Amino acid sequence: MSAPFAWPAEVDAELTRVGRRWAQLDLARAAGSALAVHALASRYADLVHPDHPLPDLGPAVVVDQLRVVTYDALATDALDPALAAADLATLRRSLP
């Protein structure tokens, strides 16, 4: 049995920051920004499961989807942690 995957600290920090910022948004602002979050999540999901589009489940869960697909992409070595941290920081800065 292999050891469980450990989040890179910089990715965990950025995902936490994105989640905190997302939780501060009212529904209208979250709905307006959900497309950008879903686009990044879809990009990461495609790295691991290119034949299965990520469903759009709405703003209530899009950050959770981002967390899951980021984990999957990192755990399978399909995504560079430094790139993920940079992408997430850019996303966070783009949120209203």
Side-chain angles (χ1 to χ4, degrees):
M1 181 175 195
S2 63
F5 173 75
W7 284 103
E10 67 273 20
V11 174
D12 186 51
E14 284 303 330
L15 278 168
T16 299
R17 290 178 185 132
V18 168
R20 284 184 189 145
R21 180 67 194 123
W22 194 256
Q24 295 171 347
L25 299 179
D26 60 38
L27 182 56
R29 293 173 107 186
S33 298
L35 185 59
V37 180
H38 188 266
L40 182 59
S42 291
R43 197 169 92 210
Y44 290 172
D46 286 346
L47 295 173
V48 182
H49 304 289
D51 298 328
H52 296 88
L54 187 68
D56 183 349
L57 302 177
V61 298
V62 72
V63 171
D64 294 324
Q65 284 182 300
L66 178 61
R67 181 172 282 279
V68 169
V69 298
T70 301
Y71 180 93
D72 288 349
L74 289 168
T76 60
D77 291 326
L79 178 62
D80 176 64
L83 176 62
D87 287 346
L88 291 164
T90 299
L91 174 66
R92 176 180 46 81
R93 288 184 203 106
S94 76
L95 296 174

